[in-house]
Amino acid sequence: MSYEQKNIVDQSHHNGKKFKNQEPFKLTLSDTCRWYFNRNVLPPQAGYLGFNHQWCQSIDMTLDDDRIWWIGHSTTLIRLNGKMILTDPVFSDRASPFQFLGPKRRTPPALSIEELPNIDFIVISHNHYDHLDYHSIRQLVSRFANVVILVPLGLKTKLHKWGAKTVIELDWWGSADIDNLTFTATPAKHWSKRGLFDVNKVLWCGWVIQSNVANANQTKTLYFMGDTAYSSVLKHIGEYFTHIDLALIPIGAYAPRWFMQSQHIDPEQAVQLYDELHCHAAMAIHWGAFELADEPLDEPPTLLSQYREARAFHLLKIGGSLSIHQTDSKIE
């Protein structure tokens, strides 16, 4: 496999030892402890059984157009230009370094790794456990030996240690052209950590994925936002990619706002970003699987429904899918 990689190392978000955000970012140990030891996680209104029944459906893989399926949380399966792409694949029961403690999955993934079609690409937004899962990656690279994994700066070595053969590492605004697809790492306001001493040692990002870039009239542009707090920096993505056909926007893990606003957007800000990025359509992700914050698991879609009005901002059930068009879509 051959590909062209363009990497732009921008020292404005790297001080030689750690990565940083382009806007002020506050996340202190004292605030983290204050939140963690005073957590008040509210249950879904219908209870877990009702929640599972209401927000999950059987997945239909017989549809053969350019399409995206929501597997759960931030894991989506994208078919674009005949290639299959996974975003932040997490199939484990817990978002944790251990499978006996940590946030437990409350709704099952729509597919198991054994049920997936052939995967050509995986994109990783950052190294938090609900986005980068060791067990899932190990199973994926074992089953799909030729998969190409695209990661932000600092993650390549870890993925190689986990068994991945082809890993492409990009800085913000860096890109890679592979098989008539272009992958561009984009800025986000977030942070990274997996252990006690590695805070912000690797970068975090979103991903813009484009097909048929050589023909502007046929180019399809997807934006996978990853995890991010609200930031005016994100407007530049909409200025650079002026036609975002479909954005995958997180809507969950936002409460309490005094703590979570520095790292995650809420449903109202999700709609604000939809407008500022001039998206033609969007799909809500990053909710409904893990209790990572204090809001009920079924609150994010309820709030999004209040804010989205006539926008093509889609709320899918886990297992649901959406066709990728170059024109505006109707709300489903």
Side-chain angles (χ1 to χ4, degrees):
M1 181 201 68
S2 62
Y3 64 90
E4 181 180 355
Q5 179 174 342
K6 302 173 184 177
N7 213 352
I8 304 170
V9 179
D10 182 356
Q11 294 301 317
S12 68
H13 58 270
H14 190 260
N15 62 14
K17 295 182 179 180
K18 293 186 176 182
F19 293 95
K20 59 183 181 179
N21 289 287
Q22 294 178 313
E23 292 182 350
F25 182 86
K26 181 185 177 183
L27 185 65
T28 65
L29 179 59
S30 61
D31 281 347
T32 302
C33 292
R34 175 187 163 198
W35 166 71
Y36 185 80
F37 290 109
N38 293 280
R39 291 196 67 184
N40 182 27
V41 182
L42 299 175
Q45 291 183 359
Y48 291 135
L49 292 178
F51 180 83
N52 283 335
H53 175 74
Q54 181 181 2
W55 288 107
C56 298
Q57 70 177 58
S58 298
I59 195 165
D60 183 359
M61 295 298 301
T62 64
L63 304 166
D64 60 1
D65 54 351
D66 284 343
R67 180 168 290 270
I68 181 165
W69 291 264
W70 189 31
I71 306 301
H73 195 55
S74 292
T75 305
T76 69
L77 176 62
I78 302 167
R79 182 195 289 121
L80 189 61
N81 215 29
K83 301 297 182 180
M84 285 294 194
I85 307 161
L86 275 177
T87 65
D88 286 358
V90 176
F91 293 84
S92 293
D93 289 335
R94 293 184 184 269
S96 168
F98 313 103
Q99 288 303 295
F100 57 87
L101 57 84
K104 184 176 177 58
R105 185 183 287 274
R106 300 302 186 185
T107 50
L111 285 176
S112 67
I113 291 176
E114 292 74 19
E115 294 171 320
L116 288 170
N118 183 65
I119 302 300
D120 300 288
F121 301 99
I122 295 171
V123 297
I124 303 294
S125 64
H126 63 296
N127 71 354
H128 286 161
Y129 287 97
D130 60 315
H131 295 261
L132 179 61
D133 176 56
Y134 168 80
H135 300 286
S136 298
I137 293 295
R138 287 285 293 172
Q139 292 176 62
L140 286 164
V141 299
S142 175
R143 184 173 175 214
F144 308 111
N146 296 319
V147 67
V148 177
I149 305 180
L150 296 104
V151 299
L153 289 181
L155 273 178
K156 184 174 183 177
T157 299
K158 181 179 291 293
L159 269 295
H160 278 316
K161 287 181 179 179
W162 290 359
K165 293 181 180 179
T166 305
V167 183
I168 299 173
E169 189 176 73
L170 295 173
D171 194 7
W172 289 347
W173 300 114
S175 63
D177 298 325
I178 321 170
D179 292 341
N180 294 317
L181 294 175
T182 298
F183 298 84
T184 303
T186 55
K189 185 177 180 180
H190 203 56
W191 60 296
S192 64
K193 182 179 185 295
R194 283 183 79 83
L196 295 176
F197 308 106
D198 65 343
V199 176
N200 295 345
K201 291 292 184 68
V202 304
L203 190 58
W204 49 93
C205 71
W207 289 97
V208 170
I209 307 170
Q210 296 174 285
S211 66
N212 301 313
V213 174
N215 188 338
N217 293 326
Q218 297 181 6
T219 299
K220 290 183 179 179
T221 301
L222 275 70
Y223 175 28
F224 169 57
M225 199 171 285
D227 267 6
T228 187
Y230 178 80
S231 170
S232 59
V233 172
L234 299 177
K235 294 181 182 179
H236 298 315
I237 297 169
E239 294 167 357
Y240 188 85
F241 299 98
T242 58
H243 190 101
I244 296 175
D245 297 296
L246 180 63
L248 312 182
I249 302 180
I251 65 167
Y254 52 76
R257 291 311 286 154
W258 69 264
F259 180 66
M260 288 295 178
Q261 66 181 351
S262 63
Q263 47 195 312
H264 293 147
I265 59 176
D266 61 17
E268 185 174 11
Q269 291 172 324
V271 172
Q272 181 180 352
L273 284 170
Y274 175 101
D275 291 340
E276 291 178 351
L277 293 166
H278 306 292
C279 301
H280 285 253
M283 189 181 100
I285 60 170
H286 199 262
W287 69 275
F290 300 105
E291 291 172 321
L292 303 172
D294 290 358
E295 80 272 0
L297 280 179
D298 58 353
E299 184 180 88
T302 300
L303 293 181
L304 182 64
S305 295
Q306 296 174 12
Y307 295 124
R308 65 177 175 168
E309 296 181 346
R311 297 170 180 86
F313 201 140
H314 302 266
L315 279 166
L316 301 184
K317 293 183 179 181
I318 295 172
S321 70
L322 190 66
S323 183
I324 303 168
H325 297 293
Q326 290 179 286
T327 56
D328 291 339
S329 302
K330 295 181 180 179
I331 297 176
E332 296 180 343

